[in-house]
Amino acid sequence: MKKFTLLPVMVLLVMFMTSCSSDPIEDKAAEINTENLVVPETKTIEIEIMELINDYRLSKGLNPLDNVGIIKAQAYNHTEYMITYNNVSHDNFYQRKAFLESSLGARDVSENVAYGFTSAQTVVNAWLNSASHKANIEGDFTDFDLSADQNAEGDWYYTNIFVKK
């Protein structure tokens, strides 16, 4: 009989000892992510892609986009995610968007992803030949950055994030 009485008391004790934060989860996530941002060195292929995109935008009378480390960190995390799961996707896009809205003051966020292209020119050409990707490149944005990385087999994965502040 004592075991049955002791068990509910122990459960209640554990529940009261576990505190809940009154801070919104999103705020905690933003704090953690800001402190743990990984902004890798920019690769030559990434510089070439950014230059090609900005050259294209200038040729259309659009403003060039500035690259921003916090955007690169988000792009890098997503590229690594795609490599880990061997899947090109926009998974978790709304988390990246929310993070950039809260930490960078972004008013609009969009992204292009790609896989398998072996040069800056081929990946940019592919994006420009796709209506939705081209719309992002030509969009009303102020900043961007990207991540390009290879998996163990040498296949390239790309994440290009566009932001309007």
Side-chain angles (χ1 to χ4, degrees):
M1 186 82 168
K2 285 186 178 182
K3 287 183 184 177
F4 291 113
T5 308
L6 187 57
L7 183 59
V9 171
M10 291 299 289
V11 169
L12 286 173
L13 183 63
V14 170
M15 285 175 46
F16 287 121
M17 290 176 58
T18 307
S19 66
C20 295
S21 173
S22 61
D23 296 335
I25 291 173
E26 295 82 22
D27 291 345
K28 290 284 187 195
E31 289 172 17
I32 292 167
N33 287 338
T34 302
E35 292 172 5
N36 297 321
L37 283 179
V38 174
V39 182
E41 294 269 337
T42 303
K43 296 177 183 75
T44 301
I45 193 168
E46 294 167 340
I47 294 168
E48 292 170 353
I49 292 168
M50 288 187 290
E51 287 175 350
L52 287 167
I53 289 172
N54 272 335
D55 289 347
Y56 176 82
R57 287 179 61 85
L58 287 169
S59 76
K60 298 295 181 187
L62 302 168
N63 63 299
L65 303 175
D66 295 321
N67 57 315
V68 178
I70 197 166
I71 300 171
K72 181 172 189 61
Q74 292 297 298
Y76 170 76
N77 288 340
H78 185 60
T79 298
E80 294 305 306
Y81 171 89
M82 292 190 300
I83 289 171
T84 298
Y85 291 98
N86 194 32
N87 184 36
V88 180
S89 71
H90 293 284
D91 290 355
N92 307 311
F93 170 72
Y94 291 103
Q95 291 174 349
R96 289 187 293 287
K97 180 181 180 198
F99 176 81
L100 291 168
E101 288 170 342
S102 67
S103 63
L104 193 60
R107 291 186 293 154
D108 194 14
V109 179
S110 194
E111 76 179 11
N112 289 344
V113 296
Y115 163 80
F117 298 96
T118 57
S119 73
Q121 190 67 63
T122 58
V123 72
V124 172
N125 286 346
W127 283 334
L128 290 173
N129 287 320
S130 161
S132 61
H133 294 97
K134 184 177 181 178
N136 287 339
I137 291 172
E138 294 179 348
D140 183 21
F141 297 108
T142 55
D143 305 284
F144 75 153
D145 220 313
L146 68 107
S147 172
D149 211 352
Q150 293 175 289
N151 65 9
E153 291 77 34
D155 299 318
W156 284 95
Y157 287 77
Y158 305 87
T159 303
N160 189 185
I161 299 177
F162 301 87
V163 169
K164 179 178 183 171
K165 288 196 271 181

